[in-house]
């Protein structure tokens, strides 16, 4: 059996000492989980290692940790998979921490660094304070159904698809992995964040809820709300249950903007619209127009609006050096990009298809699965992309691209 | 000292439902859990929840199926209550926000389940327990002003006053090690089963029989403890659960020769016979050499349309992939019977009251008994919710009419001393993990699907030896912040008490009924054993055995075939 070194981040608040790394070696099958290894170490050598865990089947959500730099559940992460991660990236402090890293001049391939999740205070070893961050944010989104009146005598009659839709966010196990690596939250600890906003979608998307509009208004107007997400995809990578928190945040934005026409005071919706219009009209983003239109109105005349003027003035300190250093030419700033006519037409064709009213609200229908085609591989083929879960994942990621508005990049805000 | 009308220990489905019901009655409520409520093991319940809600169905039919499933050991008054109240409970959950599966017309849809004469199982994909638990927690957050939550507090003792009445509990805050005496007019145990006394088991690491042992130690009667459910479809290596929903959706069981062997054990219901029947059939195939080399038979889910599997059984698609390396939509998966549920527990009446005044129990910790010798799939969620609610309501109504009892504060120092004595144990003693492993493997070998006198005697001997050892097991952690090592030492004691009660009850029942199959007494014997076995503590000696009658309202025992 292969040997693995678990480099565990230890911290005991009563000791008065700072956190440190501690190595434990285990001999275990490569397909055993990281949690199996930690439990074995606890059983055999050191019962004082603190980690929350219970079900061992990725449903209770207790054992969220970072393994070789990436957040996830210790119970469904195989040892070989964890060991492969994060080598040579420089973002894994655990791998570089051991004495041998200096001696060997590199990282050992059999080391799995296990540390507590990020963005939350550490209580002890691998245990973080989820109440202080995660659950506080969950409570922020009014996390219960506000019943549509009158409450029927029997069940609410609602479309099958809508229940499947909210079941994707219902599948969240509140493990905190997405919160751990949310980049926006790192910069703005007030950000409501991926888990809580997914929870919000669970109500906004639920046809039995009486106040989707009020919820959306609340989450749009909050400066730490839905427009605070920067589309970094970390939460989608982190989520062990396929909840796709970022996609839920985008669904909230779409409902807020398209369905309820909520123009928030953070200018999030206007910014998004201006972005989309500019790409439609020019085929590429017309950067110089983006700011004035976001504030002054979504047309060429936007820049003459008083609100735009202020914003334009305030952007001069960064715009002028950009022009001076040749990052943008005055001509490009004035006229925008020009692409071949045929290409522009193709871009606009995409818009036509996406704007089709039938696609206006897209649902999380990935859990509905899809029609079975004849398998391309034999049943015993071990090719990873033959795994159904991943195929489902691919499907679900492709679907929005067909049916939704292209996402604007948010990094200029 | 926190004081509340109603104190609830355990925050799975039974505990949370009890809390909401008690608060609804106007009582002040505290709910205590050693883990965050959404980590409770109810979260792993997959397949669904039974109710005769369709106009074509009837509660009588549901009740009869349950009585028959219990092998006539279930108390029929309690079963009538549970099945009658089931439809309203489903609607209550639906209104609270559970995202139950809808059929094409937008109404609640059902799936088939084992031992049921109708498709009456309501579900959310294969995460029904998870979905309901999280929705109940939403309701707890909504009612935060009336329900006080103490999350990550470990209960060490339930407290009785000098008159033998339960007046609260002593609990330790895991975050800082602080002990607190919770004073209460009524205390409801809702802390789940004792699956970790077995290895492997489908149950989570937290399911250590705390409530059963706590009640037992203060003199409450336990009942039906010999009835341990082995689920027919668990993974060979680690015991993880493959939901009965798979068979409900049409999956087959095949032996190594490719035969659909259930045809010879249950020609009518086939894979959807009661769990005890299916588990015995599988074990017989395996024992007689028709299983695979790894001691399993196969579950063939490729019989279910792939699209349907991906929609309605997606958790087990993931479990197959992550924990067995098998794509269940393309090939059969190897499974075997595995410990899953304990039908027995703290004996209660239909309002959840135990034999100790002021102490209630609901859910898996309790034995009402609605499951008797064998629980039907999708009846456990129902049990937790119906009797959780009834306990909460009853406890609150009683509590509102009485003054706050005084609690023996001296007990706090006593518990403090007990904890110190664990922390100060000599190093170098036996390891907790080793004792727990031996216990689990012993129970799984001798107190499993098939039992006999010799095996049970051996099991009892080992359990009693392990009890000795456990009192000296060494501790690596002497701190007070999340000292999981010390908690594990206490939990080990709970599991050993439960195991002893299970073995003694299994020895006592000299017949085969439901989950208890004695190779030396292979027939059901209604003349002598149509009765419950009750177990009570007897100082430091072996538990005391007594009997209580089975309540029969309208269904006389018949021969049981599927």
């Amino acid at each position: 059996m292969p040997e693995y070194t678990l480099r565990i981040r230890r911290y005991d608040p009563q000791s008065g000492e700072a956190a440190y790394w501690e190595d434990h070696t285990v001999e275990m099958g490569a397909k055993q989980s990281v949690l199996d290894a930690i439990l074995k170490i606890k059983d055999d050598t050191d019962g004082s290692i603190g980690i929350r865990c219970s079900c061992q089947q990725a449903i209770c959500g207790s054992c969220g940790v970072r393994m070789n730099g990436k957040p996830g559940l210790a119970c469904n992460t195989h040892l070989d998979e964890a060991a492969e991660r994060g080598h040579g990236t420089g973002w894994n402090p655990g791998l570089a921490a051991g004495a041998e890293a200096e001696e060997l001049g590199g990282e050992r391939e059999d080391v799995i660094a296990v540390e507590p999740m990020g963005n939350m205070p550490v209580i002890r070893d691998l245990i973080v304070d989820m109440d202080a961050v995660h659950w506080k944010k969950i409570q922020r989104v009014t996390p219960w159904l506000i019943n549509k009146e009158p409450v029927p005598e029997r069940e609410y009659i609602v479309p099958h698809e809508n229940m499947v839709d909210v079941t994707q966010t219902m599948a969240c196990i509140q493990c905190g992995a997405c919160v751990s690596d949310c980049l926006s939250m790192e910069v703005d600890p007030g950000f409501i964040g991926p888990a809580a906003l997914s929870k919000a979608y669970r109500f906004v998307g639920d046809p039995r809820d009486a106040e989707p509009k009020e919820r959306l208004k609340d989450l749009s107007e909050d400066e730490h709300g839905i427009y605070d997400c920067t589309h970094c995809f970390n939460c989608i990578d982190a989520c062990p249950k396929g909840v796709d928190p970022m996609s839920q945040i985008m669904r909230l934005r779409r409902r807020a903007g398209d369905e309820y026409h909520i123009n928030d005071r953070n200018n999030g919706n206007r910014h998004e619209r201006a972005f989309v219009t500019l790409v439609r009209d020019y085929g590429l983003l017309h950067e110089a127009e983006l700011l004035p239109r976001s504030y002054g109105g979504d047309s060429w005349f936007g820049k003459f609006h008083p609100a735009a003027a202020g914003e334009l003035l305030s952007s001069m300190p960064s715009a002028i050096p950009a022009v001076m250093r040749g990052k943008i030419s005055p001509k490009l700033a004035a006229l925008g990009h020009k692409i071949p006519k045929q290409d522009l037409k193709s871009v606009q064709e995409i818009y036509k298809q996406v704007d089709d009213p039938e696609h206006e609200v897209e649902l999380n229908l990935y859990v509905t699965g899809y029609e079975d085609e004849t398998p391309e591989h034999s049943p015993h083929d071990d090719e990873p992309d033959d795994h159904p879960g991943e195929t489902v994942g691919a499907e679900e990621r492709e679907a929005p691209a067909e049916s939704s508005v292209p996402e604007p990049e948010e990094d200029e805000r | 000292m926190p004081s509340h009308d109603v104190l609830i220990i355990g925050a799975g489905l039974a505990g949370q439902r009890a809390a909401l019901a008690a608060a609804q009655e106007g009582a002040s409520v505290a709910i205590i859990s050693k883990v965050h409520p959404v980590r409770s093991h109810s979260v792993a319940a997959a397949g669904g929840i039974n109710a005769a809600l369709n106009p074509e169905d009837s509660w009588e039919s549901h009740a009869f199926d349950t009585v028959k499933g219990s092998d006539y050991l279930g108390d029929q008054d309690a079963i009538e209550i549970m099945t009658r109240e089931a439809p309203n409970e489903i609607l209550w959950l639906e209104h609270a926000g559970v995202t139950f599966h809808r059929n094409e017309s937008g109404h609640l849809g059902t799936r088939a389940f084992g031992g049921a004469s109708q498709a009456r199982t309501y579900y959310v994909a294969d995460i029904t327990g998870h979905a309901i638990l999280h929705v109940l927690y939403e309701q707890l957050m909504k009612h935060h002003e009336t329900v006080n939550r103490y999350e990550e507090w470990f209960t060490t003792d339930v407290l009785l006053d000098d008159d033998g009445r339960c007046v609260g509990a002593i609990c330790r805050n895991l975050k800082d090690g602080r002990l607190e005496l919770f004073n209460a007019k009524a205390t409801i145990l809702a802390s789940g089963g004792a699956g970790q006394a077995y290895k492997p088991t489908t149950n989570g690491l937290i399911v250590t029989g705390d409530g059963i042992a706590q009640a037992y130690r203060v003199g409450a009667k336990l009942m039906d403890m010999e009835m341990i459910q082995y689920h027919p479809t668990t993974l060979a290596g680690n015991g993880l659960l493959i939901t009965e929903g798979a068979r409900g959706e049409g999956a087959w069981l095949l032996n190594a020769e490719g035969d659909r062997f259930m045809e010879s054990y249950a020609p009518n219901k086939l894979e959807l016979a009661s769990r005890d029947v299916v588990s015995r059939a599988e074990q017989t195939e395996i024992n007689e050499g028709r299983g695979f080399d790894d001691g399993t038979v196969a579950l063939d889910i490729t019989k279910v349309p792939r699209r349907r599997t991906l929609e309605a059984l997606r958790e087990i698609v993931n479990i197959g992939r992550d924990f067995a390396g098998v794509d269940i939509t393309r090939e059969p998966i190897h499974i075997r019977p595995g410990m899953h549920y304990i039908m027995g527990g703290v004996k209660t009446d239909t309002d959840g009251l135990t034999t100790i005044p002021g102490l209630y129990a609901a859910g898996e910790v309790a034995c009402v008994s609605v499951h008797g010798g064998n629980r039907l799939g999708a009846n456990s969620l129902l049990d937790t919710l119906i009797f959780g609610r009834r306990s909460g309501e009853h406890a609150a109504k009683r509590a509102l009419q009485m003054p706050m009892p005084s609690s023996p504060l001296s007990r706090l120092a006593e518990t403090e001393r007990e904890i110190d004595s664990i922390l100060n144990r000599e190093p170098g003693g036996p390891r907790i993990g080793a004792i727990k492993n031996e216990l689990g493997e012993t129970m799984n070998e001798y107190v499993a699907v098939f039992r006999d006198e010799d095996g049970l005697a051996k099991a009892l001997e080992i359990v009693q030896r392990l009890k000795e050892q456990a009192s000296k097991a060494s501790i690596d952690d002497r701190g007070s912040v999340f000292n999981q090592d010390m908690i594990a030492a206490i939990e080990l004691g709970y599991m050993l008490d439960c195991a002893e009660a299970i073995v003694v009850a299994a020895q006592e029942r000299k017949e085969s009924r439901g989950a208890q199959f004695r190779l030396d007494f292979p027939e059901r014997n209604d003349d002598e054993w149509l009765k419950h076995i009750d177990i009570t503590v007897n100082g430091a000696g072996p538990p005391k055995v007594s009997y209580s009658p089975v309540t029969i309202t309208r269904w006389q025992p018949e021969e049981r075939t599927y």
Side-chain angles (χ1 to χ4, degrees):
Chain A
M1 263 191 289
E3 211 178 70
Y4 292 96
T5 296
L6 268 84
R7 181 162 295 159
I8 299 172
R9 190 75 172 157
R10 301 297 306 269
Y11 170 65
D12 177 2
Q14 290 177 292
S15 71
E17 285 168 34
Y20 59 98
W21 297 99
E22 183 179 271
D23 284 6
H24 293 271
T25 306
V26 288
E27 223 174 275
M28 278 183 118
K31 296 297 171 195
Q32 300 272 91
S33 72
V34 172
L35 182 62
D36 289 336
I38 295 174
L39 290 176
K40 188 171 161 48
I41 296 164
K42 274 174 75 109
D43 271 2
D44 296 349
T45 48
D46 187 354
S48 74
I49 298 168
I51 180 170
R52 292 192 184 102
C53 55
S54 174
C55 76
Q56 300 176 280
Q57 54 181 344
I59 190 74
C60 78
S62 301
C63 64
V65 288
R66 269 189 187 149
M67 292 156 288
N68 275 3
K70 191 173 178 272
L73 299 174
C75 74
N76 77 342
T77 306
H78 296 155
L79 288 166
D80 58 350
E81 183 198 332
E84 274 165 26
R85 289 177 184 164
H87 286 274
T89 57
W91 44 256
N92 186 346
L95 282 181
E100 77 283 351
E102 281 173 37
E103 282 168 30
L104 300 175
E107 296 158 348
R108 263 168 50 192
E109 301 282 314
D110 63 333
V111 171
I112 300 167
V114 188
E115 56 186 319
M117 292 190 288
N119 277 333
M120 289 175 273
V122 178
I123 296 178
R124 156 158 203 187
D125 296 338
L126 303 172
I127 299 169
V128 297
D129 191 348
M130 292 195 66
D131 291 340
V133 180
H134 175 83
W135 288 108
K136 210 164 110 191
K137 292 175 185 299
I138 295 284
Q139 273 157 34
R140 162 68 187 82
V141 302
T142 320
W144 51 82
L145 189 74
I146 300 168
N147 288 82
K148 208 176 246 178
E149 300 287 345
V151 176
E153 203 167 297
R154 282 181 63 101
E155 72 266 36
Y156 286 93
I157 314 283
V158 295
H160 168 76
E161 290 75 18
N162 285 88
M163 280 294 115
V164 176
D165 173 40
V166 289
T167 297
Q168 180 174 6
T169 48
M170 201 70 238
C172 171
I173 57 174
Q174 312 293 348
C175 68
C178 60
V179 171
S180 164
D181 278 39
C182 174
L183 291 180
S184 287
M185 206 183 284
E186 216 173 294
V187 178
D188 172 16
F191 178 37
I192 296 173
L197 289 173
S198 297
K199 187 80 171 169
Y201 183 81
R202 173 250 177 286
F203 301 105
V204 168
D206 193 324
R208 298 169 296 179
D209 195 86
E211 300 186 358
K213 185 180 179 184
E214 290 76 4
R215 289 176 187 273
L216 287 166
K217 194 153 172 58
D218 173 36
L219 298 172
S220 304
E221 297 289 5
D222 189 328
E223 61 174 310
H224 310 291
I226 52 177
Y227 292 106
D228 207 13
C229 164
T230 61
H231 292 222
C232 75
F233 283 81
N234 265 6
C235 57
I236 291 184
D237 277 350
C239 179
K241 303 304 288 186
V243 172
D244 277 12
M246 193 190 89
S247 305
Q248 312 311 329
I249 300 175
M250 295 311 127
R251 286 186 174 88
L252 290 171
R253 285 190 189 176
R254 214 148 298 130
R255 294 217 171 183
D258 294 356
E259 214 171 311
Y260 293 106
H261 310 290
I262 297 166
N263 273 321
D264 54 291
R265 60 172 167 229
N266 308 304
N267 237 26
N269 183 41
R270 287 193 199 90
H271 179 75
E272 208 168 281
R273 278 176 187 283
F275 202 110
V276 170
T277 312
L278 285 168
V279 175
R280 183 194 65 204
D281 294 349
Y282 293 86
L284 283 171
L285 181 63
H286 187 341
E287 291 88 347
E289 281 280 310
L290 184 60
L291 202 56
R293 287 197 189 191
S294 299
Y295 285 85
D298 190 14
S299 82
W300 186 84
F301 297 101
K303 53 178 121 5
F304 303 114
H305 193 278
E311 279 305 310
L312 271 176
L313 271 177
S314 71
S315 73
M316 283 304 143
S318 53
I320 291 170
V323 173
M324 285 171 62
R325 287 179 194 152
K327 291 212 165 192
I328 186 167
S329 70
K331 186 181 162 210
L332 192 62
L335 301 176
H337 298 274
K338 225 173 159 65
I339 65 170
K341 229 183 184 157
Q342 201 47 43
D343 294 351
L344 183 60
K345 247 191 160 156
S346 306
V347 170
Q348 287 168 350
E349 190 51 40
I350 295 174
Y351 272 69
K352 252 189 221 148
Q353 289 191 17
V354 170
D355 286 341
D356 179 351
E358 273 188 35
H359 286 122
E360 208 176 332
V361 176
E362 105 258 13
L363 302 171
N364 296 302
L365 294 184
Y366 83 120
V367 281
T368 310
Y370 55 98
E371 288 305 341
D372 194 10
E373 309 85 30
T374 328
E376 284 168 34
H377 309 283
S378 75
H380 299 289
D381 200 323
D382 281 330
E383 274 213 36
D385 57 1
D386 192 38
H387 285 311
E390 287 171 25
T391 324
V392 175
E395 165 93 353
E396 137 225 341
R397 242 143 258 168
E398 276 158 25
E402 287 165 9
S403 57
S404 65
V405 180
E407 288 307 339
E409 297 294 333
E410 292 289 306
D411 45 11
E412 284 132 287
R413 284 181 53 240
Chain B
M1 180 171 64
S3 286
H4 300 276
D5 293 331
V6 180
L7 173 69
I8 295 155
I9 300 170
L13 288 184
Q16 293 198 33
R17 189 66 187 89
L20 291 166
Q24 177 81 30
E25 294 292 327
S28 77
V29 180
I31 183 165
I32 287 180
S33 169
K34 66 176 176 178
V35 291
H36 187 282
V38 303
R39 317 294 176 210
S40 308
H41 201 65
S42 305
V43 78
I49 175 167
N50 288 334
L53 184 58
N54 269 334
E56 312 86 67
D57 202 355
S58 70
W59 71 262
E60 290 94 339
S61 164
H62 182 188
F64 173 71
D65 290 344
T66 304
V67 170
K68 181 179 169 189
S70 80
D71 217 346
Y72 297 91
L73 190 64
D75 286 319
Q76 296 181 7
D77 55 341
I79 292 172
E80 286 192 18
I81 288 173
M82 180 175 81
T83 53
R84 260 185 224 254
E85 295 181 4
N88 275 338
E89 194 64 26
I90 299 286
L91 293 175
W92 183 86
L93 291 171
E94 202 279 326
H95 295 157
V98 177
T99 56
F100 281 119
H101 169 81
R102 296 303 208 271
N103 59 26
E104 288 314 315
S105 67
H107 292 81
L108 294 175
T110 57
R111 69 161 45 124
F113 238 66
S117 52
Q118 291 251 3
R120 64 166 75 91
T121 302
Y122 294 86
Y123 65 99
V124 182
D126 58 348
I127 55 166
T128 313
H130 166 265
I132 299 176
L133 186 70
H134 282 245
V135 167
L136 287 193
Y137 191 67
E138 289 168 11
Q139 294 297 312
L140 281 194
M141 290 191 278
K142 179 177 177 183
H143 296 286
H144 59 94
E145 278 170 6
T146 47
V147 181
N148 297 278
R149 307 196 301 271
Y150 295 86
E151 296 166 355
E152 299 188 313
W153 283 71
F154 181 86
T155 302
T156 59
D157 306 271
V158 294
L159 285 182
L160 305 194
D161 65 10
D162 294 340
D163 303 331
R165 186 184 166 78
C166 183
V167 291
I170 295 179
C171 309
R172 174 180 164 106
N173 186 348
L174 294 178
K175 285 193 191 84
D176 58 15
R178 180 166 51 99
L179 272 185
E180 193 82 75
L181 195 155
F182 286 78
N183 201 8
K185 298 177 188 171
T187 304
I188 302 176
L189 287 170
S191 43
Q196 284 289 320
Y198 281 70
K199 184 184 174 163
T201 170
T202 62
N203 292 190
L205 295 163
I206 58 173
V207 188
T208 49
D210 303 11
I212 297 176
Q214 285 155 1
Y216 170 71
R217 288 177 184 182
V218 296
K221 264 190 182 150
L222 308 182
M223 187 165 85
D224 295 350
M225 289 298 284
E226 70 278 20
M227 297 302 180
I228 300 292
Q229 179 161 82
Y230 270 66
H231 193 288
T233 54
T234 69
L235 288 187
N238 44 27
L240 293 186
L241 176 70
I242 303 292
T243 174
E244 184 165 310
R247 282 171 288 139
E249 298 287 345
W252 289 13
L253 288 167
L254 304 171
N255 62 21
E257 292 156 16
D259 293 333
R260 193 181 183 189
F261 57 86
M262 284 311 296
E263 285 168 351
S264 47
Y265 297 90
N268 298 315
K269 296 297 287 185
L270 296 160
E271 283 84 2
L272 290 178
S274 276
R275 286 177 175 175
D276 58 329
V277 174
V278 181
S279 283
R280 258 193 309 276
E282 290 175 1
Q283 198 61 52
T284 305
E285 292 294 302
I286 295 164
N287 291 352
E288 293 179 359
R290 291 185 296 277
F292 296 96
D293 291 341
D294 57 349
T296 61
V297 290
L299 177 69
D300 187 359
I301 305 172
T302 66
K303 297 283 182 255
V304 182
R306 186 154 191 265
R307 187 191 167 88
R308 178 70 185 156
T309 302
L310 291 171
E311 172 183 334
L313 300 169
R314 53 188 291 265
E315 269 305 308
I316 60 167
V317 171
N318 294 337
I319 286 178
R321 184 193 62 212
D322 293 343
F323 298 101
V326 171
D327 176 354
I328 61 162
T329 68
R330 306 263 195 230
E331 57 181 318
I333 187 165
H334 287 198
I335 51 87
R336 67 177 180 197
M339 192 282 170
H340 181 55
Y341 185 86
I342 177 162
M343 271 72 76
V346 185
K347 182 185 172 78
T348 71
D349 67 13
T350 54
D351 290 314
L353 247 180
T354 69
T355 50
I356 293 184
L359 182 65
Y360 295 73
E364 196 173 341
V365 67
C367 179
V368 191
S369 129
V370 283
H371 308 306
N374 171 70
R375 172 174 73 74
L376 293 188
N379 262 358
S380 65
L381 293 189
L382 186 60
D383 170 23
T384 61
L385 293 162
I386 298 289
F387 293 102
R389 174 175 53 72
R390 291 177 65 92
S391 305
E393 285 168 354
H394 197 268
K397 279 181 192 150
R398 283 266 175 100
L400 289 171
Q401 290 163 6
M402 61 183 275
M404 188 63 72
S406 62
S407 283
L409 259 174
S410 59
R411 284 295 307 278
L412 207 51
E414 222 170 281
T415 303
E416 192 89 61
R417 275 197 300 278
E418 281 163 25
I419 288 176
D420 283 345
S421 78
I422 295 176
L423 293 174
N424 294 327
R425 279 182 193 166
E426 292 291 318
R431 293 201 66 81
I432 294 171
I435 298 173
K436 191 180 158 204
N437 274 341
E438 191 179 349
L439 170 67
E441 282 163 9
T442 300
M443 297 299 283
N444 197 44
E445 184 167 354
Y446 301 115
V447 204
V449 175
F450 294 113
R451 306 162 176 187
D452 62 30
E453 197 185 330
D454 289 351
L456 292 172
K458 209 172 284 175
L460 188 63
E461 196 189 307
I462 296 173
V463 169
Q464 286 170 346
R465 170 169 57 77
L466 294 177
K467 272 182 116 168
E468 271 297 305
Q469 287 182 11
S471 59
K472 296 185 285 263
S474 60
I475 298 286
D476 302 325
D477 192 345
R478 313 205 182 265
S480 51
V481 178
F482 269 96
N483 188 334
Q484 297 173 320
D485 213 15
M486 192 274 294
I487 299 298
I490 298 178
E491 289 171 341
L492 180 63
Y494 292 153
M495 284 183 272
L496 284 161
D497 279 0
C498 292
E500 188 177 31
I502 292 166
V503 178
V504 167
Q507 282 180 317
E508 184 67 20
R509 183 172 290 280
K510 293 178 178 60
E511 64 151 359
S512 292
R513 180 187 301 272
Q516 156 102 341
F517 194 96
R518 289 281 300 253
L519 292 166
D520 40 358
F521 301 97
E523 300 297 324
R524 192 175 89 189
N525 178 353
D526 288 337
D527 291 339
E528 286 179 68
W529 290 105
L530 186 59
K531 59 187 176 190
H532 297 290
I533 294 172
D534 298 342
I535 301 281
T536 32
V537 73
N538 182 20
K544 211 162 52 195
V545 174
S546 56
Y547 308 104
S548 51
V550 173
T551 308
I552 291 176
T553 56
R554 57 172 95 183
W555 296 284
Q556 290 303 321
E558 292 170 15
E559 198 196 345
R560 181 168 170 256
T561 54
Y562 284 98

